[in-house]
Amino acid sequence: MKPVMTFALMTLRNLLRRRTIWGISIVILIALFGIGQIPGFGVSNEGRFILDFGLFGLEIGALLLAIGLASNIYPRDREQKTVMPIIAVPLSRSQYLMGRFVGAAIVEAAAMLVGCIGLMIILIMNGHAVPADMLPATGLLLVEGWFLLAVVFFFSFWTSPPLNAPLTTLLFIVSQMSVSGFIKLFPQAPGLMRTLRLFLPHMDVFHIKDPIAHGMDIPGLYFFLAALYGLAYMAFMLSVALAVFRSRDLK
Amino acid sequence: MKLTVVILISAVLLSLACKADYDIEEVAPPEHLGTDHHDELDECEHEDAEHVESDHEHEAETAEPGSVHEESHEIDVSEISGSNRHVHDAGQRNHGTGWFFNQPWAASFIWGKMLRDSLILLVLAAVILFVSGYRRKHQ
C-alpha cells in the first residue's frame, strides 16, 4: 500500500504542475459565477434554478476533469519511456495503475470540493439557503467523476488521447439513457441493445439535484447505496483497465 | 481448473444480471406509478366537459330566435383554467410529475437491485483481476 500512496503523491504533484487542471477548475468557477448572475425576473424560488444548473455544471466539470486529468497520463509515460523503469523494479502494473488513479482521484476530489463551496457561496450571495444535502449530492457527483476517471484510464491503455475524449463523452451520454431509450437507438435488435446496456451504469443513480432543488429529504441509506454502486462500477472498470494493461507489451 | 470455475461463476452472474436489467417504469409496482390518480383526473376532466356542454345548451335555449349566437369562451375559460381547477400538494405524485418520481432516489423498490448490481460488479472485478493475473503469470 505504501508504494501506491508514494506513487499517488508523485502523480498528484505532477498533475498540479500541469495547466490543464487549473484551466478546467477556472472554467467551472466562471460557469458557476455566470449561473449566479442569471436574473430572477421576480420568479419565486430562484434558488432552485441556481442549484439545479450549478449541480449540473459540477457534473459536466467532473467529466471534463476526468478527461483532462487522465487521458494523457499513460500515453505520456509511454512516450517519454518513464513507464518501463517504473514497472521494471519498484512497482507492479497494478500498483502503477492504482498510484496514477489515486493521484488523479485526489485532484478531482479537491476540484469538486472547491466547486461545491463556490456554489454554496453563490447561493448565499443571492440570499438563498444552502440545502443540507448539498455536500452528499456533490459526493455522489464525485463518485460519478471517479467512475469516469476509471473509464478514461481504461480507454487510455488502448486508444490515443484524441480518441479517448469522444469515447468517454459518448459513454457518459449513453449511460444517462434508460434501458428503453437505449433500445430505441437500434430497435431492430432489442435483445442485443439490452445486453449492451447492461455493461453501462445507470448514471441517474447519481442525480439527486431535482429533489434537493425542491427541498425534499433523501434517506441516508440511498446515499450509501448509490455511492456503493458507483464505487463498485469504478472497481469493475479499473479491473478491466488493469486486464488490458497487463496484456500490453510495452517493449 | 480454478480458471474454469472462475469463468463459470462470472458467466452465471452475467446471465443473472442480463435478465435482471431494468427501467424503473418496467419494474415499478402499480401504487408507485399512481394509476389511480390518472382515473381521478380523467373523471375530473370529464365532469368539466359535461359542465361546459350543459352551459352551451342552456345558452342555446335562452337565446332569442334569429339572433346571432355568440359563443362566449371567457366564462368557460375561467372555469377550466386557473388555480381553482386542479391543484396538487407540493411533493405529490401526479400526471405531470411522473418523471420526477421515476428517479432512483424516489423508487425505494429498486434499492435492493442497486445493492445486487454492486455485489455482482465487485465479484466480477475480483474475477477479472484473478484471471488477468493468472494469465500474466503463465505467459
Side-chain angles (χ1 to χ4, degrees):
Chain A
M1 194 63 192
K2 197 180 172 187
V4 172
M5 285 316 294
T6 308
F7 192 52
L9 291 175
M10 270 176 61
T11 306
L12 180 65
R13 282 193 289 273
N14 283 343
L15 289 173
L16 290 178
R17 275 200 292 268
R18 282 162 53 178
R19 277 170 289 184
T20 319
I21 166 69
W22 299 109
I24 294 172
S25 300
I26 289 168
V27 166
I28 294 171
L29 288 176
I30 289 172
L32 289 177
F33 181 74
I35 289 164
Q37 297 306 306
I38 297 172
F41 297 114
V43 176
S44 60
N45 296 323
E46 181 207 359
R48 286 181 186 177
F49 301 114
I50 295 176
L51 199 56
D52 202 323
F53 281 118
L55 287 173
F56 176 70
L58 284 183
E59 187 182 11
I60 298 296
L63 170 70
L64 293 177
L65 274 169
I67 293 171
L69 286 170
S71 64
N72 263 325
I73 290 181
Y74 172 71
R76 186 177 289 194
D77 281 350
R78 194 165 180 204
E79 194 180 322
Q80 295 176 344
K81 301 194 187 303
T82 51
V83 66
M84 281 302 288
I86 289 172
I87 63 167
V89 183
L91 293 174
S92 66
R93 292 193 186 210
S94 57
Q95 286 173 326
Y96 168 86
L97 175 62
M98 284 313 295
R100 289 298 196 203
F101 178 80
V102 170
I106 291 171
V107 176
E108 177 137 10
M112 292 292 283
L113 185 63
V114 169
C116 177
I117 292 169
L119 185 56
M120 285 177 176
I121 292 170
I122 286 163
L123 281 169
I124 292 167
M125 280 170 61
N126 283 278
H128 304 294
V130 176
D133 287 336
M134 179 92 179
L135 267 178
T138 309
L140 284 188
L141 293 179
L142 176 62
V143 171
E144 185 182 0
W146 284 346
F147 163 73
L148 291 169
L149 205 57
V151 170
V152 174
F153 270 106
F154 164 67
F155 284 134
S156 74
F157 288 129
W158 57 276
T159 60
S160 61
L163 193 58
N164 195 329
L167 282 176
T168 307
T169 309
L170 186 68
L171 188 133
F172 175 77
I173 292 168
V174 293
S175 297
Q176 310 282 339
M177 300 174 87
S178 62
V179 175
S180 56
F182 189 73
I183 290 170
K184 281 177 191 163
L185 292 177
F186 191 61
Q188 289 84 354
L192 173 70
M193 294 304 279
R194 191 171 268 270
T195 308
L196 282 177
R197 181 66 183 82
L198 177 71
F199 292 101
L200 304 170
H202 288 265
M203 286 279 200
D204 52 351
V205 164
F206 308 114
H207 298 168
I208 53 167
K209 58 186 169 59
D210 295 323
I212 288 179
H214 287 81
M216 298 177 77
D217 289 328
I218 297 170
L221 177 64
Y222 180 77
F223 285 112
F224 170 75
L225 287 173
L228 179 68
Y229 179 78
L231 293 174
Y233 240 111
M234 183 194 79
F236 174 72
M237 281 313 299
L238 279 176
S239 67
V240 176
L242 182 61
V244 174
F245 187 38
R246 277 174 168 163
S247 66
R248 297 284 290 181
D249 185 7
L250 299 176
K251 290 173 189 170
Chain B
M1 180 62 189
K2 278 182 189 173
L3 193 63
T4 314
V5 171
V6 166
I7 289 170
L8 273 175
I9 290 171
S10 55
V12 168
L13 284 172
L14 263 179
S15 64
L16 177 71
C18 270
K19 286 175 189 165
D21 201 14
Y22 56 88
D23 270 347
I24 289 176
E25 285 177 19
E26 288 175 4
V27 294
E31 60 268 21
H32 177 80
L33 293 174
T35 48
D36 291 342
H37 188 81
H38 281 284
D39 297 340
E40 189 184 305
L41 174 73
D42 291 344
E43 281 171 19
C44 180
E45 283 177 351
H46 188 65
E47 280 172 17
D48 284 342
E50 279 179 359
H51 183 64
V52 171
E53 200 172 316
S54 67
D55 281 353
H56 275 285
E57 283 169 7
H58 181 69
E59 279 173 15
E61 283 169 11
T62 53
E64 289 178 15
S67 67
V68 178
H69 176 66
E70 293 177 6
E71 279 195 46
S72 171
H73 289 287
E74 283 177 13
I75 297 167
D76 298 339
V77 168
S78 68
E79 284 176 356
I80 61 172
S81 66
S83 58
N84 289 332
R85 181 177 175 256
H86 201 77
V87 179
H88 297 284
D89 293 333
Q92 185 193 352
R93 185 189 176 97
N94 60 66
H95 50 92
T97 58
W99 66 271
F100 186 84
F101 291 99
N102 283 342
Q103 297 182 67
W105 61 268
S108 54
F109 52 89
I110 65 142
W111 294 0
K113 293 179 193 296
M114 279 167 59
L115 182 63
R116 177 206 63 190
D117 287 356
S118 306
L119 295 178
I120 287 175
L121 284 164
L122 287 174
V123 172
L124 280 176
V127 166
I128 291 168
L129 277 178
F130 178 80
V131 171
S132 64
Y134 185 87
R135 282 189 61 201
R136 176 108 192 118
K137 197 189 274 184
H138 289 82
Q139 265 178 359

